[in-house]
Amino acid sequence: MNAPAAEAKPRQSWRTVVANLRQRKVLAMLLLGFSSGIPIYLVGNTLGFWMRENAIELSTIGFLSWVGIAYSLKFLWAPLVDKADAPLFGRWLGRRRGWMLLSQIVVAVALVGMVFVQPREDVMTIAGIGLDRLLVFGGLALAVAFASATQDIVIDAWRIESASSNEQQGLLTSTSTLGYRGALLMTDALILIMAAHVGWSISYLWMAAMMGVGVVAVMIAREPVASEVAANAQPTLWTARGLFDAIIGPFIAFFRQHGTFALVMLLAICLYRMPDFVMGPMANPFYADLGIDKETVGAVRGSIGLVATILGIAAAGLTAVRFGFMPTLLAGAVLGPGSNLAFAYLALHGSDTGVFTAAMAIDNFCSGYAGVALIGYMSSLTSIGYTATQYALLSSFYALAGKVLKGFSGVWVEQLAVGRTLLEGYALFFTGTALIGIPAIVLCIVLWRRPPVPPAVVAAQTGV
């Protein structure tokens, strides 16, 4: 891909824009984005609401959120996804599409398993063996997270390799984000309304069925030419040279291209969304403790929240086109953690629907903006031939530290509430999560001030 320094682009005519929108890959990207977004909250924030209603302790909810670390360790098996065909489906559908279908099936099956096990603190019997129910439930949640992370690896690679230009890459990124946010609307908002009427079990079964959207997308999508060319040009995986190229090659190419600034990039990406990750597991338990019912939360997220998210995504796209990657990235670094202060105010103010609605609008706008800013920036840093592994590395750094720390979120809230009310503990916690976003702002400023890399140097470093 192009270096992030090269930002001046000619304006595209409306005819070109419409032609891009009508391409088959855009529809496939929208559906794949939706499929990518379905599992993450079902083993994250929404799962916390379900568990809290079943009287599971906050500390246990926080610890179980560690299953999400699978998303941050996906770079460990990304080389396999990059260089080997998927079992059963690889020869039929191709490397990218084969892995998509396999991971979607595993996600759906594991979600169904979670429904039958249920999050309760007792012992269940399987084949005559007594097992801790929460342990089995957590294992199924981990299977969902692992398969979902694998799906993300290959969808990101498909998106980057399918784009024929930087402008089309921006279009596919925005389309993917819209689909992804649509899925989050279902799993973070509409599911709460559904659960209030038909229960959590039926709601999760319905979400498992929604993975069928991804299957439809796989059938619509076409295997990227870049993936096929790279697969033919590179050594076979199961050789010494192939293993070295699959595991070490992406890192060598990345650091060769970006030099010492590679470390600054990785650190900035690592810290960029940490405030959101650390706060995440406590959001839905906070609403429950605040006394806001599921239907209100779902209704606000599905209306004001949806509009605010779309506005945030659009604002990020327009900012990127008008001002470039780095100013957009810096703005997102400020908006993301800043939105956490709205939750601190809500905790101190109480369960006022108007304040809650305002907090949701602020949070969704800022999250939509920051998400597009970071995805666009990370996509610009990858090299063809190592797309899946390099993007998995970047997206793993983006989430790893935050997902490790978020496991302690419940403990921190409980400790901050000692000698105070529980809501005061929440307010201090949300304020603290906003403050940990300051280092990312500083690093974005450093990257913005980085001297531009001449195109000839980039070509020499990447071999393009």
Side-chain angles (χ1 to χ4, degrees), residues 389-427:
T389 304
Q390 285 188 341
Y391 194 86
L393 171 68
L394 295 173
S395 56
S396 294
F397 267 85
Y398 134 68
L400 181 58
K403 288 191 174 180
V404 170
L405 291 176
K406 78 175 185 177
F408 299 103
S409 57
V411 175
W412 289 334
V413 172
E414 291 173 346
Q415 290 300 313
L416 289 169
V418 174
R420 306 179 180 89
T421 66
L422 180 58
L423 293 181
E424 287 174 341
Y426 274 118

PDB file of all heavy atoms in Angstrom, residues 389-427:
ATOM      1  N   THR A 389      -1.206 -10.872   7.538  1.00  0.00           N
ATOM      2  CA  THR A 389      -0.345 -10.907   8.720  1.00  0.00           C
ATOM      3  C   THR A 389      -0.027  -9.511   9.221  1.00  0.00           C
ATOM      4  O   THR A 389      -0.075  -9.246  10.427  1.00  0.00           O
ATOM      5  CB  THR A 389       0.955 -11.670   8.406  1.00  0.00           C
ATOM      6  OG1 THR A 389       0.630 -12.977   7.918  1.00  0.00           O
ATOM      7  CG2 THR A 389       1.817 -11.813   9.651  1.00  0.00           C
ATOM      8  N   GLN A 390       0.323  -8.597   8.317  1.00  0.00           N
ATOM      9  CA  GLN A 390       0.671  -7.247   8.754  1.00  0.00           C
ATOM     10  C   GLN A 390      -0.531  -6.524   9.345  1.00  0.00           C
ATOM     11  O   GLN A 390      -0.410  -5.869  10.389  1.00  0.00           O
ATOM     12  CB  GLN A 390       1.252  -6.445   7.589  1.00  0.00           C
ATOM     13  CG  GLN A 390       2.677  -6.831   7.235  1.00  0.00           C
ATOM     14  CD  GLN A 390       3.294  -5.884   6.215  1.00  0.00           C
ATOM     15  OE1 GLN A 390       2.591  -5.156   5.518  1.00  0.00           O
ATOM     16  NE2 GLN A 390       4.605  -5.897   6.132  1.00  0.00           N
ATOM     17  N   TYR A 391      -1.688  -6.642   8.716  1.00  0.00           N
ATOM     18  CA  TYR A 391      -2.855  -5.965   9.277  1.00  0.00           C
ATOM     19  C   TYR A 391      -3.272  -6.617  10.593  1.00  0.00           C
ATOM     20  O   TYR A 391      -3.701  -5.930  11.525  1.00  0.00           O
ATOM     21  CB  TYR A 391      -4.032  -5.968   8.299  1.00  0.00           C
ATOM     22  CG  TYR A 391      -5.113  -5.005   8.722  1.00  0.00           C
ATOM     23  CD1 TYR A 391      -5.055  -3.669   8.345  1.00  0.00           C
ATOM     24  CD2 TYR A 391      -6.158  -5.411   9.541  1.00  0.00           C
ATOM     25  CE1 TYR A 391      -6.024  -2.758   8.761  1.00  0.00           C
ATOM     26  CE2 TYR A 391      -7.129  -4.517   9.959  1.00  0.00           C
ATOM     27  CZ  TYR A 391      -7.052  -3.195   9.570  1.00  0.00           C
ATOM     28  OH  TYR A 391      -8.002  -2.306   9.999  1.00  0.00           O
ATOM     29  N   ALA A 392      -3.135  -7.941  10.686  1.00  0.00           N
ATOM     30  CA  ALA A 392      -3.427  -8.615  11.955  1.00  0.00           C
ATOM     31  C   ALA A 392      -2.480  -8.141  13.043  1.00  0.00           C
ATOM     32  O   ALA A 392      -2.868  -7.950  14.197  1.00  0.00           O
ATOM     33  CB  ALA A 392      -3.328 -10.128  11.782  1.00  0.00           C
ATOM     34  N   LEU A 393      -1.202  -7.944  12.679  1.00  0.00           N
ATOM     35  CA  LEU A 393      -0.233  -7.422  13.640  1.00  0.00           C
ATOM     36  C   LEU A 393      -0.648  -6.042  14.129  1.00  0.00           C
ATOM     37  O   LEU A 393      -0.663  -5.770  15.339  1.00  0.00           O
ATOM     38  CB  LEU A 393       1.155  -7.355  12.997  1.00  0.00           C
ATOM     39  CG  LEU A 393       2.241  -6.628  13.795  1.00  0.00           C
ATOM     40  CD1 LEU A 393       2.584  -7.409  15.051  1.00  0.00           C
ATOM     41  CD2 LEU A 393       3.500  -6.416  12.943  1.00  0.00           C
ATOM     42  N   LEU A 394      -1.002  -5.174  13.184  1.00  0.00           N
ATOM     43  CA  LEU A 394      -1.388  -3.803  13.549  1.00  0.00           C
ATOM     44  C   LEU A 394      -2.666  -3.791  14.384  1.00  0.00           C
ATOM     45  O   LEU A 394      -2.745  -3.098  15.408  1.00  0.00           O
ATOM     46  CB  LEU A 394      -1.569  -2.964  12.283  1.00  0.00           C
ATOM     47  CG  LEU A 394      -0.309  -2.727  11.450  1.00  0.00           C
ATOM     48  CD1 LEU A 394      -0.666  -2.041  10.140  1.00  0.00           C
ATOM     49  CD2 LEU A 394       0.711  -1.903  12.226  1.00  0.00           C
ATOM     50  N   SER A 395      -3.673  -4.558  13.962  1.00  0.00           N
ATOM     51  CA  SER A 395      -4.929  -4.559  14.705  1.00  0.00           C
ATOM     52  C   SER A 395      -4.786  -5.276  16.040  1.00  0.00           C
ATOM     53  O   SER A 395      -5.540  -5.008  16.976  1.00  0.00           O
ATOM     54  CB  SER A 395      -6.051  -5.198  13.877  1.00  0.00           C
ATOM     55  OG  SER A 395      -5.712  -6.503  13.476  1.00  0.00           O
ATOM     56  N   SER A 396      -3.811  -6.179  16.153  1.00  0.00           N
ATOM     57  CA  SER A 396      -3.542  -6.822  17.438  1.00  0.00           C
ATOM     58  C   SER A 396      -2.899  -5.832  18.400  1.00  0.00           C
ATOM     59  O   SER A 396      -3.258  -5.769  19.580  1.00  0.00           O
ATOM     60  CB  SER A 396      -2.628  -8.035  17.249  1.00  0.00           C
ATOM     61  OG  SER A 396      -3.282  -9.044  16.509  1.00  0.00           O
ATOM     62  N   PHE A 397      -1.941  -5.056  17.906  1.00  0.00           N
ATOM     63  CA  PHE A 397      -1.332  -4.024  18.738  1.00  0.00           C
ATOM     64  C   PHE A 397      -2.370  -2.991  19.160  1.00  0.00           C
ATOM     65  O   PHE A 397      -2.324  -2.461  20.263  1.00  0.00           O
ATOM     66  CB  PHE A 397      -0.181  -3.343  17.987  1.00  0.00           C
ATOM     67  CG  PHE A 397       1.148  -3.972  18.255  1.00  0.00           C
ATOM     68  CD1 PHE A 397       1.562  -5.068  17.535  1.00  0.00           C
ATOM     69  CD2 PHE A 397       1.983  -3.477  19.247  1.00  0.00           C
ATOM     70  CE1 PHE A 397       2.788  -5.666  17.783  1.00  0.00           C
ATOM     71  CE2 PHE A 397       3.205  -4.067  19.505  1.00  0.00           C
ATOM     72  CZ  PHE A 397       3.613  -5.173  18.770  1.00  0.00           C
ATOM     73  N   TYR A 398      -3.312  -2.739  18.266  1.00  0.00           N
ATOM     74  CA  TYR A 398      -4.349  -1.753  18.550  1.00  0.00           C
ATOM     75  C   TYR A 398      -5.210  -2.166  19.744  1.00  0.00           C
ATOM     76  O   TYR A 398      -5.709  -1.325  20.487  1.00  0.00           O
ATOM     77  CB  TYR A 398      -5.172  -1.558  17.267  1.00  0.00           C
ATOM     78  CG  TYR A 398      -6.667  -1.536  17.357  1.00  0.00           C
ATOM     79  CD1 TYR A 398      -7.337  -0.499  17.981  1.00  0.00           C
ATOM     80  CD2 TYR A 398      -7.423  -2.538  16.763  1.00  0.00           C
ATOM     81  CE1 TYR A 398      -8.719  -0.465  18.021  1.00  0.00           C
ATOM     82  CE2 TYR A 398      -8.799  -2.511  16.794  1.00  0.00           C
ATOM     83  CZ  TYR A 398      -9.439  -1.474  17.433  1.00  0.00           C
ATOM     84  OH  TYR A 398     -10.802  -1.442  17.475  1.00  0.00           O
ATOM     85  N   ALA A 399      -5.332  -3.478  19.989  1.00  0.00           N
ATOM     86  CA  ALA A 399      -6.266  -3.928  21.013  1.00  0.00           C
ATOM     87  C   ALA A 399      -5.637  -4.669  22.183  1.00  0.00           C
ATOM     88  O   ALA A 399      -6.263  -4.788  23.230  1.00  0.00           O
ATOM     89  CB  ALA A 399      -7.318  -4.837  20.368  1.00  0.00           C
ATOM     90  N   LEU A 400      -4.399  -5.152  22.042  1.00  0.00           N
ATOM     91  CA  LEU A 400      -3.844  -6.082  23.033  1.00  0.00           C
ATOM     92  C   LEU A 400      -3.792  -5.501  24.436  1.00  0.00           C
ATOM     93  O   LEU A 400      -4.335  -6.068  25.386  1.00  0.00           O
ATOM     94  CB  LEU A 400      -2.452  -6.543  22.601  1.00  0.00           C
ATOM     95  CG  LEU A 400      -1.776  -7.539  23.538  1.00  0.00           C
ATOM     96  CD1 LEU A 400      -2.628  -8.782  23.714  1.00  0.00           C
ATOM     97  CD2 LEU A 400      -0.397  -7.910  23.008  1.00  0.00           C
ATOM     98  N   ALA A 401      -3.131  -4.356  24.600  1.00  0.00           N
ATOM     99  CA  ALA A 401      -2.970  -3.794  25.947  1.00  0.00           C
ATOM    100  C   ALA A 401      -4.309  -3.459  26.581  1.00  0.00           C
ATOM    101  O   ALA A 401      -4.551  -3.758  27.759  1.00  0.00           O
ATOM    102  CB  ALA A 401      -2.090  -2.547  25.887  1.00  0.00           C
ATOM    103  N   GLY A 402      -5.208  -2.873  25.797  1.00  0.00           N
ATOM    104  CA  GLY A 402      -6.514  -2.514  26.322  1.00  0.00           C
ATOM    105  C   GLY A 402      -7.322  -3.720  26.742  1.00  0.00           C
ATOM    106  O   GLY A 402      -8.013  -3.699  27.769  1.00  0.00           O
ATOM    107  N   LYS A 403      -7.216  -4.815  25.990  1.00  0.00           N
ATOM    108  CA  LYS A 403      -7.997  -6.002  26.319  1.00  0.00           C
ATOM    109  C   LYS A 403      -7.411  -6.751  27.508  1.00  0.00           C
ATOM    110  O   LYS A 403      -8.138  -7.453  28.221  1.00  0.00           O
ATOM    111  CB  LYS A 403      -8.110  -6.904  25.095  1.00  0.00           C
ATOM    112  CG  LYS A 403      -9.035  -6.310  24.045  1.00  0.00           C
ATOM    113  CD  LYS A 403      -9.389  -7.283  22.949  1.00  0.00           C
ATOM    114  CE  LYS A 403     -10.425  -6.675  22.020  1.00  0.00           C
ATOM    115  NZ  LYS A 403     -10.817  -7.570  20.923  1.00  0.00           N
ATOM    116  N   VAL A 404      -6.110  -6.633  27.731  1.00  0.00           N
ATOM    117  CA  VAL A 404      -5.523  -7.195  28.945  1.00  0.00           C
ATOM    118  C   VAL A 404      -5.994  -6.408  30.163  1.00  0.00           C
ATOM    119  O   VAL A 404      -6.443  -6.965  31.165  1.00  0.00           O
ATOM    120  CB  VAL A 404      -3.986  -7.198  28.868  1.00  0.00           C
ATOM    121  CG1 VAL A 404      -3.386  -7.559  30.229  1.00  0.00           C
ATOM    122  CG2 VAL A 404      -3.508  -8.191  27.813  1.00  0.00           C
ATOM    123  N   LEU A 405      -5.928  -5.096  30.064  1.00  0.00           N
ATOM    124  CA  LEU A 405      -6.297  -4.242  31.198  1.00  0.00           C
ATOM    125  C   LEU A 405      -7.792  -4.284  31.502  1.00  0.00           C
ATOM    126  O   LEU A 405      -8.202  -4.157  32.657  1.00  0.00           O
ATOM    127  CB  LEU A 405      -5.866  -2.797  30.929  1.00  0.00           C
ATOM    128  CG  LEU A 405      -4.358  -2.536  30.917  1.00  0.00           C
ATOM    129  CD1 LEU A 405      -4.078  -1.086  30.552  1.00  0.00           C
ATOM    130  CD2 LEU A 405      -3.744  -2.855  32.284  1.00  0.00           C
ATOM    131  N   LYS A 406      -8.622  -4.465  30.485  1.00  0.00           N
ATOM    132  CA  LYS A 406     -10.062  -4.401  30.718  1.00  0.00           C
ATOM    133  C   LYS A 406     -10.555  -5.543  31.593  1.00  0.00           C
ATOM    134  O   LYS A 406     -11.621  -5.456  32.201  1.00  0.00           O
ATOM    135  CB  LYS A 406     -10.824  -4.376  29.399  1.00  0.00           C
ATOM    136  CG  LYS A 406     -10.968  -5.719  28.694  1.00  0.00           C
ATOM    137  CD  LYS A 406     -11.841  -5.584  27.464  1.00  0.00           C
ATOM    138  CE  LYS A 406     -12.117  -6.937  26.804  1.00  0.00           C
ATOM    139  NZ  LYS A 406     -13.014  -6.800  25.653  1.00  0.00           N
ATOM    140  N   GLY A 407      -9.769  -6.613  31.686  1.00  0.00           N
ATOM    141  CA  GLY A 407     -10.147  -7.708  32.564  1.00  0.00           C
ATOM    142  C   GLY A 407     -10.212  -7.290  34.022  1.00  0.00           C
ATOM    143  O   GLY A 407     -10.890  -7.930  34.835  1.00  0.00           O
ATOM    144  N   PHE A 408      -9.492  -6.215  34.371  1.00  0.00           N
ATOM    145  CA  PHE A 408      -9.493  -5.716  35.748  1.00  0.00           C
ATOM    146  C   PHE A 408     -10.521  -4.604  35.961  1.00  0.00           C
ATOM    147  O   PHE A 408     -10.586  -4.037  37.057  1.00  0.00           O
ATOM    148  CB  PHE A 408      -8.103  -5.178  36.106  1.00  0.00           C
ATOM    149  CG  PHE A 408      -7.012  -6.212  36.021  1.00  0.00           C
ATOM    150  CD1 PHE A 408      -6.145  -6.236  34.931  1.00  0.00           C
ATOM    151  CD2 PHE A 408      -6.856  -7.175  37.011  1.00  0.00           C
ATOM    152  CE1 PHE A 408      -5.135  -7.186  34.844  1.00  0.00           C
ATOM    153  CE2 PHE A 408      -5.856  -8.129  36.930  1.00  0.00           C
ATOM    154  CZ  PHE A 408      -4.998  -8.145  35.844  1.00  0.00           C
ATOM    155  N   SER A 409     -11.303  -4.285  34.923  1.00  0.00           N
ATOM    156  CA  SER A 409     -12.209  -3.142  35.010  1.00  0.00           C
ATOM    157  C   SER A 409     -13.214  -3.290  36.150  1.00  0.00           C
ATOM    158  O   SER A 409     -13.499  -2.333  36.872  1.00  0.00           O
ATOM    159  CB  SER A 409     -12.927  -2.930  33.672  1.00  0.00           C
ATOM    160  OG  SER A 409     -13.628  -4.105  33.295  1.00  0.00           O
ATOM    161  N   GLY A 410     -13.774  -4.496  36.317  1.00  0.00           N
ATOM    162  CA  GLY A 410     -14.737  -4.708  37.387  1.00  0.00           C
ATOM    163  C   GLY A 410     -14.119  -4.537  38.757  1.00  0.00           C
ATOM    164  O   GLY A 410     -14.724  -3.963  39.670  1.00  0.00           O
ATOM    165  N   VAL A 411     -12.880  -5.032  38.915  1.00  0.00           N
ATOM    166  CA  VAL A 411     -12.163  -4.880  40.192  1.00  0.00           C
ATOM    167  C   VAL A 411     -11.927  -3.407  40.492  1.00  0.00           C
ATOM    168  O   VAL A 411     -12.102  -2.947  41.632  1.00  0.00           O
ATOM    169  CB  VAL A 411     -10.823  -5.644  40.151  1.00  0.00           C
ATOM    170  CG1 VAL A 411     -10.015  -5.389  41.429  1.00  0.00           C
ATOM    171  CG2 VAL A 411     -11.067  -7.137  39.967  1.00  0.00           C
ATOM    172  N   TRP A 412     -11.543  -2.634  39.464  1.00  0.00           N
ATOM    173  CA  TRP A 412     -11.265  -1.210  39.673  1.00  0.00           C
ATOM    174  C   TRP A 412     -12.522  -0.455  40.105  1.00  0.00           C
ATOM    175  O   TRP A 412     -12.467   0.390  40.994  1.00  0.00           O
ATOM    176  CB  TRP A 412     -10.681  -0.601  38.403  1.00  0.00           C
ATOM    177  CG  TRP A 412      -9.281  -1.054  38.130  1.00  0.00           C
ATOM    178  CD1 TRP A 412      -8.362  -1.477  39.038  1.00  0.00           C
ATOM    179  CD2 TRP A 412      -8.648  -1.155  36.852  1.00  0.00           C
ATOM    180  NE1 TRP A 412      -7.185  -1.843  38.418  1.00  0.00           N
ATOM    181  CE2 TRP A 412      -7.335  -1.646  37.072  1.00  0.00           C
ATOM    182  CE3 TRP A 412      -9.045  -0.887  35.546  1.00  0.00           C
ATOM    183  CZ2 TRP A 412      -6.428  -1.858  36.041  1.00  0.00           C
ATOM    184  CZ3 TRP A 412      -8.142  -1.104  34.518  1.00  0.00           C
ATOM    185  CH2 TRP A 412      -6.860  -1.577  34.748  1.00  0.00           C
ATOM    186  N   VAL A 413     -13.644  -0.747  39.464  1.00  0.00           N
ATOM    187  CA  VAL A 413     -14.883  -0.079  39.854  1.00  0.00           C
ATOM    188  C   VAL A 413     -15.233  -0.408  41.300  1.00  0.00           C
ATOM    189  O   VAL A 413     -15.592   0.472  42.092  1.00  0.00           O
ATOM    190  CB  VAL A 413     -16.046  -0.478  38.919  1.00  0.00           C
ATOM    191  CG1 VAL A 413     -17.371   0.074  39.442  1.00  0.00           C
ATOM    192  CG2 VAL A 413     -15.799   0.048  37.504  1.00  0.00           C
ATOM    193  N   GLU A 414     -15.104  -1.693  41.661  1.00  0.00           N
ATOM    194  CA  GLU A 414     -15.420  -2.099  43.036  1.00  0.00           C
ATOM    195  C   GLU A 414     -14.497  -1.426  44.044  1.00  0.00           C
ATOM    196  O   GLU A 414     -14.938  -0.995  45.124  1.00  0.00           O
ATOM    197  CB  GLU A 414     -15.330  -3.622  43.157  1.00  0.00           C
ATOM    198  CG  GLU A 414     -16.434  -4.354  42.399  1.00  0.00           C
ATOM    199  CD  GLU A 414     -16.258  -5.858  42.375  1.00  0.00           C
ATOM    200  OE1 GLU A 414     -15.133  -6.330  42.710  1.00  0.00           O
ATOM    201  OE2 GLU A 414     -17.212  -6.572  42.019  1.00  0.00           O
ATOM    202  N   GLN A 415     -13.200  -1.298  43.702  1.00  0.00           N
ATOM    203  CA  GLN A 415     -12.246  -0.659  44.613  1.00  0.00           C
ATOM    204  C   GLN A 415     -12.499   0.846  44.716  1.00  0.00           C
ATOM    205  O   GLN A 415     -12.405   1.426  45.798  1.00  0.00           O
ATOM    206  CB  GLN A 415     -10.815  -0.915  44.139  1.00  0.00           C
ATOM    207  CG  GLN A 415     -10.363  -2.358  44.288  1.00  0.00           C
ATOM    208  CD  GLN A 415     -10.401  -2.829  45.731  1.00  0.00           C
ATOM    209  OE1 GLN A 415      -9.926  -2.144  46.640  1.00  0.00           O
ATOM    210  NE2 GLN A 415     -11.011  -3.996  45.952  1.00  0.00           N
ATOM    211  N   LEU A 416     -12.806   1.484  43.600  1.00  0.00           N
ATOM    212  CA  LEU A 416     -13.066   2.927  43.619  1.00  0.00           C
ATOM    213  C   LEU A 416     -14.362   3.256  44.354  1.00  0.00           C
ATOM    214  O   LEU A 416     -14.550   4.389  44.813  1.00  0.00           O
ATOM    215  CB  LEU A 416     -13.142   3.467  42.178  1.00  0.00           C
ATOM    216  CG  LEU A 416     -11.812   3.525  41.422  1.00  0.00           C
ATOM    217  CD1 LEU A 416     -12.044   3.821  39.941  1.00  0.00           C
ATOM    218  CD2 LEU A 416     -10.885   4.577  42.029  1.00  0.00           C
ATOM    219  N   ALA A 417     -15.246   2.274  44.456  1.00  0.00           N
ATOM    220  CA  ALA A 417     -16.518   2.492  45.156  1.00  0.00           C
ATOM    221  C   ALA A 417     -16.401   2.294  46.663  1.00  0.00           C
ATOM    222  O   ALA A 417     -17.361   2.572  47.393  1.00  0.00           O
ATOM    223  CB  ALA A 417     -17.581   1.558  44.595  1.00  0.00           C
ATOM    224  N   VAL A 418     -15.239   1.821  47.151  1.00  0.00           N
ATOM    225  CA  VAL A 418     -15.052   1.634  48.592  1.00  0.00           C
ATOM    226  C   VAL A 418     -15.095   2.997  49.285  1.00  0.00           C
ATOM    227  O   VAL A 418     -14.343   3.907  48.937  1.00  0.00           O
ATOM    228  CB  VAL A 418     -13.706   0.927  48.888  1.00  0.00           C
ATOM    229  CG1 VAL A 418     -13.455   0.880  50.393  1.00  0.00           C
ATOM    230  CG2 VAL A 418     -13.709  -0.481  48.296  1.00  0.00           C
ATOM    231  N   GLY A 419     -15.966   3.150  50.232  1.00  0.00           N
ATOM    232  CA  GLY A 419     -16.119   4.421  50.930  1.00  0.00           C
ATOM    233  C   GLY A 419     -16.942   5.435  50.165  1.00  0.00           C
ATOM    234  O   GLY A 419     -17.111   6.573  50.610  1.00  0.00           O
ATOM    235  N   ARG A 420     -17.430   5.036  48.992  1.00  0.00           N
ATOM    236  CA  ARG A 420     -18.267   5.906  48.158  1.00  0.00           C
ATOM    237  C   ARG A 420     -19.469   5.105  47.701  1.00  0.00           C
ATOM    238  O   ARG A 420     -19.576   3.916  47.963  1.00  0.00           O
ATOM    239  CB  ARG A 420     -17.497   6.410  46.924  1.00  0.00           C
ATOM    240  CG  ARG A 420     -16.174   7.096  47.225  1.00  0.00           C
ATOM    241  CD  ARG A 420     -15.505   7.529  45.916  1.00  0.00           C
ATOM    242  NE  ARG A 420     -14.224   8.196  46.141  1.00  0.00           N
ATOM    243  CZ  ARG A 420     -13.058   7.564  46.220  1.00  0.00           C
ATOM    244  NH1 ARG A 420     -13.016   6.252  46.061  1.00  0.00           N
ATOM    245  NH2 ARG A 420     -11.947   8.239  46.456  1.00  0.00           N
ATOM    246  N   THR A 421     -20.371   5.761  46.983  1.00  0.00           N
ATOM    247  CA  THR A 421     -21.458   5.014  46.352  1.00  0.00           C
ATOM    248  C   THR A 421     -20.905   4.303  45.113  1.00  0.00           C
ATOM    249  O   THR A 421     -19.846   4.681  44.580  1.00  0.00           O
ATOM    250  CB  THR A 421     -22.606   5.942  45.931  1.00  0.00           C
ATOM    251  OG1 THR A 421     -22.139   6.819  44.884  1.00  0.00           O
ATOM    252  CG2 THR A 421     -23.091   6.771  47.108  1.00  0.00           C
ATOM    253  N   LEU A 422     -21.618   3.273  44.645  1.00  0.00           N
ATOM    254  CA  LEU A 422     -21.186   2.541  43.458  1.00  0.00           C
ATOM    255  C   LEU A 422     -21.123   3.462  42.251  1.00  0.00           C
ATOM    256  O   LEU A 422     -20.188   3.376  41.429  1.00  0.00           O
ATOM    257  CB  LEU A 422     -22.142   1.375  43.186  1.00  0.00           C
ATOM    258  CG  LEU A 422     -21.822   0.507  41.968  1.00  0.00           C
ATOM    259  CD1 LEU A 422     -20.431  -0.098  42.075  1.00  0.00           C
ATOM    260  CD2 LEU A 422     -22.879  -0.590  41.796  1.00  0.00           C
ATOM    261  N   LEU A 423     -22.086   4.381  42.105  1.00  0.00           N
ATOM    262  CA  LEU A 423     -22.095   5.287  40.962  1.00  0.00           C
ATOM    263  C   LEU A 423     -20.935   6.265  41.017  1.00  0.00           C
ATOM    264  O   LEU A 423     -20.382   6.653  39.971  1.00  0.00           O
ATOM    265  CB  LEU A 423     -23.424   6.036  40.885  1.00  0.00           C
ATOM    266  CG  LEU A 423     -24.649   5.164  40.553  1.00  0.00           C
ATOM    267  CD1 LEU A 423     -25.901   6.017  40.480  1.00  0.00           C
ATOM    268  CD2 LEU A 423     -24.439   4.414  39.239  1.00  0.00           C
ATOM    269  N   GLU A 424     -20.515   6.685  42.199  1.00  0.00           N
ATOM    270  CA  GLU A 424     -19.314   7.534  42.315  1.00  0.00           C
ATOM    271  C   GLU A 424     -18.076   6.751  41.887  1.00  0.00           C
ATOM    272  O   GLU A 424     -17.165   7.303  41.260  1.00  0.00           O
ATOM    273  CB  GLU A 424     -19.173   8.030  43.746  1.00  0.00           C
ATOM    274  CG  GLU A 424     -20.181   9.105  44.138  1.00  0.00           C
ATOM    275  CD  GLU A 424     -20.111   9.475  45.612  1.00  0.00           C
ATOM    276  OE1 GLU A 424     -19.549   8.682  46.406  1.00  0.00           O
ATOM    277  OE2 GLU A 424     -20.613  10.563  45.966  1.00  0.00           O
ATOM    278  N   GLY A 425     -18.044   5.464  42.230  1.00  0.00           N
ATOM    279  CA  GLY A 425     -16.939   4.621  41.767  1.00  0.00           C
ATOM    280  C   GLY A 425     -16.903   4.530  40.251  1.00  0.00           C
ATOM    281  O   GLY A 425     -15.839   4.609  39.629  1.00  0.00           O
ATOM    282  N   TYR A 426     -18.080   4.375  39.634  1.00  0.00           N
ATOM    283  CA  TYR A 426     -18.165   4.372  38.172  1.00  0.00           C
ATOM    284  C   TYR A 426     -17.654   5.700  37.591  1.00  0.00           C
ATOM    285  O   TYR A 426     -16.913   5.718  36.596  1.00  0.00           O
ATOM    286  CB  TYR A 426     -19.611   4.159  37.728  1.00  0.00           C
ATOM    287  CG  TYR A 426     -20.051   2.722  37.617  1.00  0.00           C
ATOM    288  CD1 TYR A 426     -21.086   2.229  38.416  1.00  0.00           C
ATOM    289  CD2 TYR A 426     -19.471   1.860  36.694  1.00  0.00           C
ATOM    290  CE1 TYR A 426     -21.526   0.911  38.304  1.00  0.00           C
ATOM    291  CE2 TYR A 426     -19.894   0.546  36.567  1.00  0.00           C
ATOM    292  CZ  TYR A 426     -20.924   0.071  37.376  1.00  0.00           C
ATOM    293  OH  TYR A 426     -21.348  -1.239  37.257  1.00  0.00           O
ATOM    294  N   ALA A 427     -18.050   6.829  38.196  1.00  0.00           N
ATOM    295  CA  ALA A 427     -17.643   8.143  37.684  1.00  0.00           C
ATOM    296  C   ALA A 427     -16.128   8.295  37.700  1.00  0.00           C
ATOM    297  O   ALA A 427     -15.521   8.783  36.726  1.00  0.00           O
ATOM    298  CB  ALA A 427     -18.305   9.249  38.499  1.00  0.00           C
TER     299      ALA A 427
END
